Amino acid sequence: MTERRDPSSVDLAQESAPGAAAQEAAAQVRPVPSGALLDPRILAAWREWLAALATDAEAAIAAAHVYGELGPEARDAWLDVLAEDAPKLQVPAVAIYAPLLSVESDAARRARIEVALEAGERTPRPTGGVALRGVTVGGDRVVALVTPLYLRFVRVLWCRYLPEDGITWARHDPLVRAEEAPSPGLLLDGAHLEATPMKLVIEELCHAILAQRRKGAELPPSLQLCADLFDAHLEGDPLP
């Protein structure tokens, strides 16, 4: 059984490659400024490919591959064009930006993508999900909350906390293949994670968040990205 101490996202640029056709299509429609003088067919192909991200898992994986191979200036240009084109498309922000966030390591660009994700979310997220929870020797809770995104992708919120004391660390994996999501038996920070009712874990996390605020400490950005989890009503009962 593998010990996992520092949860990190599944690297879609390194794991199983997308189909050759999807990756070739992605490479052929690298973004260019919409206002530039270019063949309208190229611009149409770029926007058609963006629209495909909402329904085609191979296109999403290809986007991660192509973006991951770009240099800093090209990545900035990609985000510039998305800022202009994404609002014009009927495509969920998560479908456009989550593949990029999954392979981006630069703090400034990650922050920019996260802002776009939050601002551009137009549709409610799918309901449901799985909570995995373990308890360390010292009593800390370590959890993985797996919630569906779209197609066969999920997001994972990893967290270590004490309900009465606050959050030790948190990590958000924005785009993970469902078949590669954490499962019961995973060893994290010395604790075996087991399936636990989602409501119990969310309630504990809410208490930890309140404890964190009482101490005057900031919440990890990863928790802020998953705020919808704490706004939800589980089994008909409002969360504290």
Side-chain angles (χ1 to χ4, degrees), residues 54-92:
T55 57
D56 186 347
E58 288 297 322
I61 297 170
H65 273 262
V66 174
Y67 181 84
E69 293 174 354
L70 298 178
E73 291 185 2
R75 292 188 184 191
D76 288 338
W78 187 305
L79 296 179
D80 288 342
V81 176
L82 284 183
E84 182 177 349
D85 284 350
K88 303 173 185 176
L89 303 172
Q90 296 300 313
V91 181

Short mmCIF file of all heavy atoms in Angstrom, two decimals, residues 54-92:
data_model
loop_
_atom_site.label_atom_id
_atom_site.label_comp_id
_atom_site.label_asym_id
_atom_site.label_seq_id
_atom_site.Cartn_x
_atom_site.Cartn_y
_atom_site.Cartn_z
N ALA A 54 -16.45 20.51 -23.69
CA ALA A 54 -17.58 20.26 -22.79
C ALA A 54 -18.14 18.85 -22.93
O ALA A 54 -18.81 18.36 -22.02
CB ALA A 54 -18.69 21.27 -23.05
N THR A 55 -17.85 18.19 -24.06
CA THR A 55 -18.47 16.89 -24.31
C THR A 55 -17.49 15.79 -24.67
O THR A 55 -17.86 14.62 -24.71
CB THR A 55 -19.49 17.00 -25.46
OG1 THR A 55 -18.83 17.51 -26.63
CG2 THR A 55 -20.63 17.95 -25.08
N ASP A 56 -16.24 16.14 -24.93
CA ASP A 56 -15.26 15.17 -25.43
C ASP A 56 -14.10 15.06 -24.44
O ASP A 56 -13.27 15.97 -24.34
CB ASP A 56 -14.76 15.61 -26.81
CG ASP A 56 -13.85 14.58 -27.46
OD1 ASP A 56 -13.40 13.64 -26.78
OD2 ASP A 56 -13.58 14.72 -28.67
N ALA A 57 -14.03 13.94 -23.73
CA ALA A 57 -12.96 13.76 -22.75
C ALA A 57 -11.59 13.74 -23.40
O ALA A 57 -10.61 14.24 -22.83
CB ALA A 57 -13.19 12.46 -21.97
N GLU A 58 -11.49 13.18 -24.60
CA GLU A 58 -10.20 13.15 -25.30
C GLU A 58 -9.72 14.57 -25.61
O GLU A 58 -8.53 14.86 -25.54
CB GLU A 58 -10.31 12.33 -26.58
CG GLU A 58 -10.45 10.84 -26.35
CD GLU A 58 -9.23 10.24 -25.68
OE1 GLU A 58 -8.10 10.66 -26.00
OE2 GLU A 58 -9.39 9.36 -24.82
N ALA A 59 -10.65 15.45 -25.96
CA ALA A 59 -10.28 16.83 -26.24
C ALA A 59 -9.75 17.51 -24.98
O ALA A 59 -8.79 18.29 -25.04
CB ALA A 59 -11.48 17.60 -26.79
N ALA A 60 -10.36 17.22 -23.83
CA ALA A 60 -9.89 17.82 -22.58
C ALA A 60 -8.48 17.35 -22.24
O ALA A 60 -7.63 18.14 -21.82
CB ALA A 60 -10.86 17.46 -21.45
N ILE A 61 -8.23 16.06 -22.42
CA ILE A 61 -6.89 15.53 -22.14
C ILE A 61 -5.88 16.11 -23.12
O ILE A 61 -4.75 16.45 -22.76
CB ILE A 61 -6.91 14.00 -22.20
CG1 ILE A 61 -7.84 13.45 -21.11
CG2 ILE A 61 -5.51 13.43 -22.01
CD1 ILE A 61 -8.11 11.96 -21.22
N ALA A 62 -6.29 16.25 -24.39
CA ALA A 62 -5.40 16.83 -25.39
C ALA A 62 -5.06 18.27 -25.04
O ALA A 62 -3.93 18.72 -25.23
CB ALA A 62 -6.05 16.76 -26.78
N ALA A 63 -6.04 19.02 -24.52
CA ALA A 63 -5.78 20.40 -24.12
C ALA A 63 -4.70 20.46 -23.05
O ALA A 63 -3.81 21.32 -23.09
CB ALA A 63 -7.07 21.05 -23.62
N ALA A 64 -4.77 19.54 -22.09
CA ALA A 64 -3.75 19.50 -21.04
C ALA A 64 -2.38 19.19 -21.63
O ALA A 64 -1.37 19.79 -21.24
CB ALA A 64 -4.13 18.47 -19.98
N HIS A 65 -2.32 18.25 -22.56
CA HIS A 65 -1.05 17.89 -23.19
C HIS A 65 -0.44 19.07 -23.93
O HIS A 65 0.74 19.40 -23.75
CB HIS A 65 -1.26 16.73 -24.16
CG HIS A 65 -1.17 15.38 -23.53
ND1 HIS A 65 -0.04 14.60 -23.55
CD2 HIS A 65 -2.09 14.66 -22.84
CE1 HIS A 65 -0.26 13.47 -22.91
NE2 HIS A 65 -1.50 13.48 -22.47
N VAL A 66 -1.24 19.70 -24.78
CA VAL A 66 -0.71 20.78 -25.62
C VAL A 66 -0.31 21.97 -24.76
O VAL A 66 0.78 22.53 -24.92
CB VAL A 66 -1.75 21.19 -26.68
CG1 VAL A 66 -1.26 22.42 -27.45
CG2 VAL A 66 -1.99 20.03 -27.64
N TYR A 67 -1.17 22.36 -23.84
CA TYR A 67 -0.85 23.50 -22.96
C TYR A 67 0.40 23.20 -22.13
O TYR A 67 1.25 24.08 -21.94
CB TYR A 67 -2.04 23.77 -22.05
CG TYR A 67 -1.85 24.95 -21.11
CD1 TYR A 67 -2.10 26.25 -21.53
CD2 TYR A 67 -1.43 24.74 -19.79
CE1 TYR A 67 -1.93 27.32 -20.66
CE2 TYR A 67 -1.26 25.81 -18.92
CZ TYR A 67 -1.51 27.09 -19.36
OH TYR A 67 -1.33 28.15 -18.50
N GLY A 68 0.53 21.96 -21.66
CA GLY A 68 1.67 21.59 -20.84
C GLY A 68 2.99 21.67 -21.58
O GLY A 68 4.05 21.80 -20.97
N GLU A 69 2.96 21.58 -22.91
CA GLU A 69 4.19 21.64 -23.71
C GLU A 69 4.57 23.06 -24.10
O GLU A 69 5.66 23.28 -24.65
CB GLU A 69 4.00 20.79 -24.98
CG GLU A 69 3.87 19.30 -24.70
CD GLU A 69 3.54 18.51 -25.95
OE1 GLU A 69 3.30 19.16 -27.00
OE2 GLU A 69 3.51 17.28 -25.88
N LEU A 70 3.70 24.03 -23.82
CA LEU A 70 3.98 25.41 -24.21
C LEU A 70 4.92 26.09 -23.24
O LEU A 70 4.98 25.74 -22.06
CB LEU A 70 2.67 26.20 -24.28
CG LEU A 70 1.63 25.73 -25.30
CD1 LEU A 70 0.38 26.60 -25.19
CD2 LEU A 70 2.18 25.75 -26.71
N GLY A 71 5.63 27.11 -23.73
CA GLY A 71 6.47 27.95 -22.88
C GLY A 71 5.64 29.00 -22.18
O GLY A 71 4.45 29.16 -22.45
N PRO A 72 6.27 29.77 -21.28
CA PRO A 72 5.53 30.77 -20.50
C PRO A 72 4.77 31.79 -21.34
O PRO A 72 3.60 32.08 -21.07
CB PRO A 72 6.63 31.44 -19.67
CG PRO A 72 7.71 30.40 -19.56
CD PRO A 72 7.68 29.67 -20.86
N GLU A 73 5.42 32.34 -22.37
CA GLU A 73 4.75 33.37 -23.18
C GLU A 73 3.55 32.80 -23.92
O GLU A 73 2.50 33.44 -24.03
CB GLU A 73 5.74 33.99 -24.17
CG GLU A 73 6.82 34.84 -23.50
CD GLU A 73 7.70 35.54 -24.52
OE1 GLU A 73 7.44 35.38 -25.74
OE2 GLU A 73 8.64 36.23 -24.11
N ALA A 74 3.70 31.58 -24.44
CA ALA A 74 2.59 30.96 -25.16
C ALA A 74 1.44 30.64 -24.22
O ALA A 74 0.26 30.76 -24.60
CB ALA A 74 3.08 29.69 -25.86
N ARG A 75 1.75 30.24 -22.99
CA ARG A 75 0.67 29.97 -22.03
C ARG A 75 -0.07 31.26 -21.68
O ARG A 75 -1.30 31.27 -21.57
CB ARG A 75 1.24 29.33 -20.76
CG ARG A 75 1.77 27.92 -20.96
CD ARG A 75 2.14 27.27 -19.64
NE ARG A 75 2.72 25.95 -19.84
CZ ARG A 75 2.94 25.07 -18.88
NH1 ARG A 75 2.63 25.39 -17.63
NH2 ARG A 75 3.47 23.90 -19.14
N ASP A 76 0.68 32.34 -21.51
CA ASP A 76 0.03 33.63 -21.24
C ASP A 76 -0.89 34.02 -22.40
O ASP A 76 -2.00 34.52 -22.19
CB ASP A 76 1.08 34.71 -21.01
CG ASP A 76 1.80 34.56 -19.68
OD1 ASP A 76 1.25 33.91 -18.77
OD2 ASP A 76 2.93 35.08 -19.55
N ALA A 77 -0.40 33.79 -23.63
CA ALA A 77 -1.21 34.13 -24.80
C ALA A 77 -2.48 33.28 -24.84
O ALA A 77 -3.57 33.77 -25.18
CB ALA A 77 -0.39 33.91 -26.08
N TRP A 78 -2.35 32.00 -24.49
CA TRP A 78 -3.51 31.10 -24.45
C TRP A 78 -4.56 31.66 -23.49
O TRP A 78 -5.75 31.74 -23.82
CB TRP A 78 -3.05 29.72 -24.00
CG TRP A 78 -4.07 28.62 -24.06
CD1 TRP A 78 -5.31 28.61 -23.50
CD2 TRP A 78 -3.93 27.36 -24.73
NE1 TRP A 78 -5.95 27.42 -23.74
CE2 TRP A 78 -5.13 26.63 -24.50
CE3 TRP A 78 -2.92 26.76 -25.47
CZ2 TRP A 78 -5.32 25.34 -25.00
CZ3 TRP A 78 -3.12 25.48 -25.96
CH2 TRP A 78 -4.31 24.78 -25.74
N LEU A 79 -4.12 32.05 -22.30
CA LEU A 79 -5.06 32.57 -21.30
C LEU A 79 -5.66 33.90 -21.74
O LEU A 79 -6.83 34.19 -21.46
CB LEU A 79 -4.36 32.71 -19.95
CG LEU A 79 -3.87 31.39 -19.33
CD1 LEU A 79 -3.16 31.67 -18.00
CD2 LEU A 79 -5.02 30.42 -19.13
N ASP A 80 -4.86 34.73 -22.43
CA ASP A 80 -5.38 36.00 -22.93
C ASP A 80 -6.53 35.76 -23.90
O ASP A 80 -7.57 36.44 -23.85
CB ASP A 80 -4.27 36.79 -23.64
CG ASP A 80 -3.24 37.35 -22.68
OD1 ASP A 80 -3.53 37.44 -21.47
OD2 ASP A 80 -2.13 37.70 -23.14
N VAL A 81 -6.34 34.80 -24.81
CA VAL A 81 -7.37 34.53 -25.80
C VAL A 81 -8.61 33.91 -25.15
O VAL A 81 -9.74 34.24 -25.50
CB VAL A 81 -6.82 33.61 -26.91
CG1 VAL A 81 -7.92 33.23 -27.89
CG2 VAL A 81 -5.68 34.31 -27.64
N LEU A 82 -8.39 33.03 -24.17
CA LEU A 82 -9.54 32.45 -23.48
C LEU A 82 -10.36 33.52 -22.77
O LEU A 82 -11.59 33.46 -22.74
CB LEU A 82 -9.07 31.41 -22.47
CG LEU A 82 -8.62 30.06 -23.02
CD1 LEU A 82 -8.27 29.12 -21.87
CD2 LEU A 82 -9.70 29.43 -23.89
N ALA A 83 -9.68 34.50 -22.19
CA ALA A 83 -10.40 35.57 -21.49
C ALA A 83 -11.33 36.31 -22.45
O ALA A 83 -12.39 36.80 -22.05
CB ALA A 83 -9.40 36.54 -20.87
N GLU A 84 -10.94 36.36 -23.73
CA GLU A 84 -11.76 37.05 -24.73
C GLU A 84 -12.84 36.14 -25.31
O GLU A 84 -13.98 36.56 -25.51
CB GLU A 84 -10.86 37.56 -25.86
CG GLU A 84 -11.61 38.33 -26.93
CD GLU A 84 -10.68 38.89 -28.00
OE1 GLU A 84 -9.45 38.85 -27.78
OE2 GLU A 84 -11.18 39.35 -29.04
N ASP A 85 -12.48 34.88 -25.56
CA ASP A 85 -13.39 33.99 -26.28
C ASP A 85 -14.32 33.18 -25.39
O ASP A 85 -15.45 32.88 -25.78
CB ASP A 85 -12.58 33.03 -27.16
CG ASP A 85 -12.04 33.70 -28.40
OD1 ASP A 85 -12.45 34.84 -28.67
OD2 ASP A 85 -11.20 33.09 -29.10
N ALA A 86 -13.85 32.78 -24.21
CA ALA A 86 -14.65 31.88 -23.37
C ALA A 86 -16.04 32.44 -23.05
O ALA A 86 -17.03 31.69 -23.10
CB ALA A 86 -13.89 31.55 -22.09
N PRO A 87 -16.17 33.74 -22.71
CA PRO A 87 -17.51 34.24 -22.39
C PRO A 87 -18.49 34.19 -23.57
O PRO A 87 -19.70 34.28 -23.36
CB PRO A 87 -17.24 35.70 -21.98
CG PRO A 87 -15.81 35.72 -21.55
CD PRO A 87 -15.13 34.75 -22.47
N LYS A 88 -17.97 34.04 -24.79
CA LYS A 88 -18.84 34.01 -25.97
C LYS A 88 -19.37 32.62 -26.26
O LYS A 88 -20.21 32.45 -27.15
CB LYS A 88 -18.06 34.52 -27.19
CG LYS A 88 -17.47 35.92 -27.03
CD LYS A 88 -16.58 36.28 -28.20
CE LYS A 88 -15.91 37.63 -28.00
NZ LYS A 88 -14.96 37.96 -29.09
N LEU A 89 -18.88 31.62 -25.53
CA LEU A 89 -19.23 30.24 -25.80
C LEU A 89 -20.13 29.68 -24.71
O LEU A 89 -20.01 30.04 -23.55
CB LEU A 89 -17.97 29.38 -25.91
CG LEU A 89 -16.94 29.83 -26.95
CD1 LEU A 89 -15.67 29.01 -26.80
CD2 LEU A 89 -17.50 29.70 -28.35
N GLN A 90 -21.02 28.79 -25.10
CA GLN A 90 -21.88 28.11 -24.13
C GLN A 90 -21.17 26.85 -23.63
O GLN A 90 -21.62 25.73 -23.85
CB GLN A 90 -23.23 27.77 -24.78
CG GLN A 90 -24.04 28.97 -25.20
CD GLN A 90 -24.37 29.87 -24.02
OE1 GLN A 90 -24.80 29.41 -22.96
NE2 GLN A 90 -24.16 31.18 -24.19
N VAL A 91 -20.04 27.08 -22.97
CA VAL A 91 -19.22 25.98 -22.47
C VAL A 91 -18.92 26.24 -21.00
O VAL A 91 -18.51 27.36 -20.64
CB VAL A 91 -17.89 25.87 -23.26
CG1 VAL A 91 -17.05 24.70 -22.74
CG2 VAL A 91 -18.16 25.70 -24.75
N PRO A 92 -19.12 25.26 -20.11
CA PRO A 92 -18.81 25.48 -18.70
C PRO A 92 -17.35 25.88 -18.51
O PRO A 92 -16.45 25.34 -19.16
CB PRO A 92 -19.09 24.11 -18.06
CG PRO A 92 -20.04 23.43 -19.00
CD PRO A 92 -19.66 23.92 -20.37
#
